[in-house]
Amino acid sequence: MRGVGKAGRTLGRPGPRGRRRLGVAHRCPERLRSTAVTLLCCLTGAAAVGAVLLGAQSVEHTLALEAPDGLRAQAPGSEPAQAVAPQRAGSRYTAPRPRIVPRTAWVDATMRHRQPPPRYDDKVVAVFVHHTDSPNDYDCADVPRIIRHLYAGQTGARNWDDIGYNFLVDRCGTIYEGRAGGVDRPVTGAHTQGFNHRTAGIAAIGTFSAGTPVPRAMTDAIAAVAAWKLGLAGVDPRSSVTLVSSNTLSRYPVGTTALLPALAGHNDGFRTDCPGAALTVRLPAIREAAARLQGRRR
């Protein structure tokens, strides 16, 4: 995906002379990287802006985000919003809830999408780490607007019911509430094809391919969210958990019980480069940091 850069510029894919601005008139490039991007490219005006912001690096990445099991279908064991209480700590190994900026910081009056009721699972036993595949050189003050563009692309061009990620983290270490339903509740997300149930999705805002610096503030924030959410279910971030695939488009056929890291990368559940090689190699250290926040020792 490509996102929003400094000074409020909406950016397309880099060309020979740098990044291209997108205006009201939108022209399709001569060569496209995938059929999925082709469909998005042919939109015009505001729709094109939102779509290109969500343009995938590959067909695999696009499909990985399209996780219908977490969008509209009532999940087994899930309940209406008013019937689900906040999840309580189930272990002595817990971590404090980090500061989380609520949705109201990025949702504004221009967002007219009709929001259906959220879906819930019984608890969160794993988290998946993603990157948004958007520019890294943003001003942190611009992040609410970046999230609005991500939301607009997912609920507009892709016709999702909400943004797929449960949380988003910027390079300054600020944590934002993503998907609606309550940060302290086990909200069913739409972030990892086949493994949206009993998990939470944390998206690092940026692109973290090999060799890209990953800010320490960002990894600390990811560790803090993971430690808190997993601690509510008594899960060690360094452990492995069993999850059942709900979609054959994941790495595992539907119905397969898979053993996955409790703090996993998107690529652990789906064939994709997300969350990028640079962030993937940081996951072991993030797991250790999250375990320390829970008060665990080796």
Side-chain angles (χ1 to χ4, degrees), residues 20-91:
R20 295 179 289 117
R21 289 189 180 181
L22 295 175
V24 174
H26 178 69
R27 298 175 59 189
C28 294
E30 293 181 2
R31 291 187 179 181
L32 298 170
R33 301 185 66 175
S34 70
T35 302
V37 178
T38 303
L39 294 174
L40 295 177
C41 176
C42 293
L43 299 173
T44 58
V49 173
V52 173
L53 287 169
L54 270 292
Q57 284 187 322
S58 64
V59 174
E60 290 81 5
H61 186 66
T62 301
L63 290 174
L65 287 173
E66 293 178 355
D69 54 305
L71 293 180
R72 296 178 179 82
Q74 179 74 22
S78 63
E79 302 176 23
Q82 64 272 18
V84 180
Q87 190 176 347
R88 303 298 182 186
S91 165

Side-chain angles (χ1 to χ4, degrees), residues 237-238 263 279-290 292:
R238 303 165 300 184
L263 199 165
L279 187 50
T280 297
V281 299
R282 298 293 299 276
L283 291 181
I286 294 173
R287 293 183 187 110
E288 291 293 337
R292 288 194 297 271

Side-chain angles (χ1 to χ4, degrees), residues 21-155:
R21 289 189 180 181
L22 295 175
V24 174
H26 178 69
R27 298 175 59 189
C28 294
E30 293 181 2
R31 291 187 179 181
L32 298 170
R33 301 185 66 175
S34 70
T35 302
V37 178
T38 303
L39 294 174
L40 295 177
C41 176
C42 293
L43 299 173
T44 58
V49 173
V52 173
L53 287 169
L54 270 292
Q57 284 187 322
S58 64
V59 174
E60 290 81 5
H61 186 66
T62 301
L63 290 174
L65 287 173
E66 293 178 355
D69 54 305
L71 293 180
R72 296 178 179 82
Q74 179 74 22
S78 63
E79 302 176 23
Q82 64 272 18
V84 180
Q87 190 176 347
R88 303 298 182 186
S91 165
R92 67 187 182 91
Y93 292 112
T94 60
R97 170 179 162 170
R99 180 180 180 273
I100 300 170
V101 178
R103 279 171 65 95
T104 52
W106 56 267
V107 174
D108 65 18
T110 65
M111 299 167 62
R112 302 298 184 186
H113 173 71
R114 183 176 179 181
Q115 188 71 49
R119 304 300 185 188
Y120 296 95
D121 290 297
D122 59 334
K123 57 185 175 180
V124 170
V125 299
V127 297
F128 282 94
V129 177
H130 304 255
H131 68 173
T132 58
D133 194 19
S134 53
N136 297 340
D137 59 350
Y138 54 86
D139 292 328
C140 290
D142 276 346
V143 168
R145 186 169 54 82
I146 294 172
I147 298 175
R148 282 196 294 274
H149 279 297
L150 294 171
Y151 173 93
Q154 293 182 359
T155 61

